[in-house]
Amino acid sequence: MWGNVIEAREAWASDRDVRRTGSSGGAITAIAGHLIASGKVEAVLGIAEGSEPLTNEMRVIRSVDACATLSGSRYSPATPFQHLGDLGTGARIAVVGKPCDIAGLRRFLTSHSEDGYPTVVVYLSFFCAGTPSWKGTREVLSRLDVDGRELESLRYRGNGWPGKFSVQLRGGEERSMPYEKSWGQILNKHLHTRCKLCQDGMGSQADIVAADSWETDERGYPLFTESEGRSLLVSRTPVGEQIVQEALALDAISARPADIQSLGNVQPSQRTRREVGAARGLGYRLGGHSVPSWRGVPRWRWLARRPILSIRQFVGAFRRARRERRVSI
């Protein structure tokens, strides 16, 4: 269900500023800084706010302090490896990306190993519920009565856990919206169709992956009350586990033991996506669209866990696919 797991911990950045700035405790930001400080990599690639607040761009980070620019989620489209070839052959780098970014980059570099691309020492990722289109961001701004042309900066999360969608206007005014409303009521209503069919929101091909370690109510629904951030940090490969151990030894991150099975409670939506993914995919395929191939994922076996929900998801996906097909025609 949760992919390959060597070790699971509840973790956060030891530096209080990094912990507060990050989306869920800053563990990935702290590990990125550790990789640069220790000389394991020459640079870290990730996504940050672009030259305009409404845009995203790939950043090549070469100093520990600059890693802070990568902290905080960006719930909008991005092209994370746009200038990968500019780094030169043999450059030792780390990359931070969504699960699909990591899977795509691994496959690309495997088939282009002789083409002069850098060497990725470690792949860092995070649990992903999907990427909203730009319409989602614009709707949140509209609810805040903000014109995009007024923006000085925009953060989707961070500066607390889970943090708020916050903007700063050119005149200095700040406006914000709680995460439960910005993500829970607006942004996740604008997910790309491809994201709704995704079976790997948990970064199964990364070396290290982080997930929000939410507290939940008696129904299993995450509680979004503000508190000090923390992630459920999962080492998926020996390379990833070694780096986590080194980061712990050098106090880049702090951690305590965690049970990987607790992910079912702190990330219920990811578990559900795995269980009903085959039903969604079948509905979309029969509705006339192509769907991704998932090798090595026992999707059909999981359907038996949620039969009623799976039927509903199949019907919903089929109707959506037919509706989209009619629009495209």
Side-chain angles (χ1 to χ4, degrees), residues 93-133:
I93 66 171
V95 296
V96 184
K98 303 187 302 299
C100 56
D101 299 330
I102 299 303
L105 183 59
R106 276 194 183 275
R107 183 161 184 153
F108 176 82
L109 291 178
T110 297
S111 60
H112 292 76
S113 58
E114 306 298 326
D115 292 348
Y117 287 98
T119 299
V120 179
V121 176
V122 58
Y123 293 86
L124 307 173
S125 192
F126 41 83
F127 275 39
C128 176
T131 300
S133 70

Side-chain angles (χ1 to χ4, degrees), residues 34 38 245-253:
H34 158 70
S38 64
Q245 289 186 15
E246 292 171 354
L248 284 166
L250 294 172
D251 199 32
I253 61 173

Side-chain angles (χ1 to χ4, degrees), residues 29 47-49 59 61 64-72 74 155:
T29 304
I47 290 295
E49 183 178 274
R59 294 279 179 87
I61 303 301
V64 175
D65 290 343
C67 287
T69 62
L70 301 180
S71 65
R74 301 293 295 178
R155 286 185 65 90

Side-chain angles (χ1 to χ4, degrees), residues 2 220 260-269 271:
W2 304 114
I260 189 64
Q261 298 308 320
S262 67
L263 270 173
N265 295 324
V266 302
Q267 291 282 339
S269 63
R271 179 186 59 199

Side-chain angles (χ1 to χ4, degrees), residues 135-150:
K135 290 181 180 179
T137 300
R138 294 190 181 101
E139 183 175 338
V140 179
L141 292 176
S142 177
R143 300 276 188 96
L144 292 172
D145 195 24
V146 171
D147 187 320
R149 293 169 293 184
E150 303 176 84

